[in-house]
Amino acid sequence: MTTPPLIPLDAQLRRVALASQRLAGEMILLGLAVQIAWFEAWTQPVIDAAEARSAGLAQRSRRDRLMRRGVPAHLAGRALSLVP
């Protein structure tokens, strides 16, 4: 059995330093990815609620506009459209 070649100590230290720098960079990227995922998970319900509220307001304003034109409330709430 042959012995592995000996690597000088300064070369080993350089390799360890490079590996630790790469590891630190990967940890920073992982931290950013986790933070972005958390932020998206936290804000998505807020965005969904805002969209639902906007749709509800649009439907309500459309219903009110139809009621001002003389359409009964029970028909205006069905999202019917008037033909001119």
Side-chain angles (χ1 to χ4, degrees):
M1 180 181 251
T2 61
T3 60
L6 296 177
I7 301 172
L9 187 59
D10 60 340
Q12 287 180 4
L13 288 175
R14 275 195 304 271
R15 287 174 60 187
V16 168
L18 280 173
S20 64
Q21 286 176 348
R22 286 185 188 142
L23 178 62
E26 293 294 326
M27 288 176 64
I28 289 171
L29 290 176
L30 177 64
L32 286 173
V34 167
Q35 188 174 17
I36 289 169
W38 174 83
F39 187 70
E40 286 179 355
W42 183 76
T43 57
Q44 193 59 47
V46 175
I47 293 170
D48 293 343
E51 288 174 353
R53 183 174 184 271
S54 175
L57 287 175
Q59 184 178 5
R60 234 177 288 139
S61 68
R62 185 170 189 284
R63 185 197 67 211
D64 292 345
R65 189 171 54 249
L66 287 172
M67 288 173 57
R68 281 194 305 271
R69 290 185 175 183
V71 176
H74 69 282
L75 294 176
R78 292 175 148 185
L80 301 175
S81 58
L82 295 177
V83 178

